Amino acid sequence: MTTEPLELSFTVGCSDEEAFDTFAVRTSLWWPHQHSFSGQDGITVTFEPFPGGRIYERTPGGAEHDWGEVVAWERPRRLLYLWHLATDRSDATEVEVTFTDDASGQGTLVAITHRGWDRLGDRGAAWRAQNHDGWSGVLPHYRWFLKA
């Protein structure tokens, strides 16, 4: 049985550069602390801007918690990373985010494909469902920040 990737897309009313940078550079400004490892207010979220770069949170007390690893950083069009927030790195799934001009030329289509559930075996479908709920809790904050 194959577990389908999560595929999410929406349009934001800004350039691809702003959409990319808000997602991957200014993440701390919009990412809800409830969807972090620590759950603490005031976390800093960092995507190191190069292949092999860490994705992690830093708490106000200085503790760091790894979330993933950047695979491709192609500003402003594409970000690809391994995602293992609150799990072992060996259970990482893959997230690809693309930023393309929308048909109207007035904004950017943000498309997210979150895949790799099959490699988790029997846990794949449940982990996919949990991440679907996670994206549902995170993306409204991103969209609100961009006034989408």
Side-chain angles (χ1 to χ4, degrees), residues 85-104:
L85 174 65
T87 64
D88 189 85
R89 187 183 186 286
S90 64
D91 288 337
T93 52
E94 186 177 80
V95 177
E96 182 173 22
V97 188
T98 59
F99 306 86
T100 55
D101 294 335
D102 75 350
S104 72

Side-chain angles (χ1 to χ4, degrees), residues 67-82:
W67 290 11
E69 179 181 321
V70 174
V71 175
W73 182 278
E74 300 168 10
R75 182 185 182 273
R77 296 290 184 193
R78 180 174 173 257
L79 176 65
L80 178 67
Y81 58 92
L82 300 177

Side-chain angles (χ1 to χ4, degrees), residues 9 11-12 37 44-45 48 52 68-69 83 85 94 96 112-113 116 119 134:
S9 63
T11 300
V12 292
F37 182 87
T44 301
V45 179
E48 294 179 335
E69 179 181 321
W83 184 248
L85 174 65
E94 186 177 80
E96 182 173 22
I112 299 170
T113 304
R119 54 183 298 288

Side-chain angles (χ1 to χ4, degrees), residues 6 8 23 81 95 112 114 131-140:
L6 283 173
L8 310 159
F23 192 94
Y81 58 92
V95 177
I112 299 170
H114 192 161
N131 276 267
H132 181 272
D133 292 346
W135 283 114
S136 296
V138 168
L139 290 177

Side-chain angles (χ1 to χ4, degrees), residues 19-25 27 30 47 79 81 97 99 112 135 142:
F20 183 101
D21 287 350
T22 298
F23 192 94
V25 178
T27 316
W30 62 269
F47 282 70
L79 176 65
Y81 58 92
V97 188
F99 306 86
I112 299 170
W135 283 114
Y142 172 73

